[in-house]
Amino acid sequence: MRTVIALAGRRIDATDAEPVRFPLENVETVRTRLRDLFLRYDAIALVCAAACGADLLALEVAGDLQLRRVVVLPFDAASFRNVSVIDRPGGETTWGSSFDRVVASLPDDDLIVLRGTTEHGAAFHAANGCILSVAQSLGDSLRAHLVAVIVWDGVRRGPDDVTAQFADDARERRIMLEELSTSASGFDA
């Protein structure tokens, strides 16, 4: 049956990241995993944010597969681009240009910008809740299944881990949850 995917995941690691969660060299592996997952679930739509790493990779793959893409940003696009897109390896060239292409390609109704601020971590948690709510509503209107996907290393960072919080929220809503690894060898490593 057709599926709407709600997704959250790790950003690309900073140059000196410890521990390593999503190194830049694993981008193509994760891109392939995302494509395989979208095809396996017969995905028709993707709802996520647009940060460097898992989000933008998923949005690119969804675009290649001609899925509907809905982007939820916690605050204005210019600020989000600065603090969540171009601040990591690949920066402006890779992630900035991908973000610009994705945002420019979306119909106005498929870009949702919340009123959070960059100084408040709760803005990212609010965006996660909105992603799940929008995906649920979209799934209902399209008569499609809903699957929440987290793309990560499988380890909670602590209480402020936005990816883990997304998974917890999906479980609380009784949404099927799928995990994709950012490791080259998968979760069995």
Side-chain angles (χ1 to χ4, degrees):
M1 183 175 189
R2 303 175 324 155
T3 305
V4 172
I5 304 288
L7 182 138
R10 297 288 188 226
R11 294 195 315 132
I12 290 298
D13 290 335
T15 304
D16 57 352
E18 272 304 320
V20 173
R21 297 185 192 285
F22 189 177
L24 189 60
E25 62 263 19
N26 292 354
V27 162
E28 291 310 313
T29 299
V30 171
R31 185 187 311 273
T32 299
R33 289 178 183 151
L34 286 163
R35 181 178 177 78
D36 292 348
L37 180 130
F38 292 169
L39 292 172
R40 185 172 76 243
Y41 280 107
D42 192 19
I44 57 171
L46 168 68
V47 183
C48 65
C52 67
D55 295 348
L56 281 170
L57 290 174
L59 288 162
E60 289 173 352
V61 170
D64 291 345
L65 296 172
Q66 299 181 344
L67 309 183
R68 180 173 176 190
R69 300 176 294 174
V70 179
V71 170
V72 176
L73 300 179
F75 36 78
D76 71 276
S79 296
F80 184 83
R81 189 179 189 281
N82 285 330
V83 301
S84 295
V85 178
I86 62 171
D87 64 325
R88 298 289 171 96
E92 186 67 49
T93 306
T94 301
W95 304 114
S97 61
S98 176
F99 178 85
D100 294 343
R101 280 190 310 275
V102 166
V103 169
S105 73
L106 297 173
D108 289 344
D109 290 347
D110 288 345
L111 177 61
I112 300 167
V113 180
L114 304 180
R115 295 183 179 170
T117 65
T118 58
E119 293 83 32
H120 200 272
F124 294 99
H125 293 287
N128 275 349
C130 185
I131 289 166
L132 290 167
S133 294
V134 167
Q136 284 178 308
S137 178
L138 189 58
D140 289 346
S141 70
L142 297 173
R143 295 188 178 138
H145 286 293
L146 174 61
V147 175
V149 176
I150 57 171
V151 183
W152 72 329
D153 53 321
V155 179
R156 278 183 188 269
R157 279 193 335 238
D160 66 338
D161 189 327
V162 179
T163 302
Q165 181 267 335
F166 179 88
D168 293 343
D169 195 5
R171 286 184 194 102
E172 286 176 19
R173 295 176 189 225
R174 297 190 183 344
I175 299 170
M176 181 179 167
L177 181 66
E178 178 91 24
E179 298 181 43
L180 289 182
S181 175
T182 54
S183 166
S185 56
F187 287 121
D188 297 330

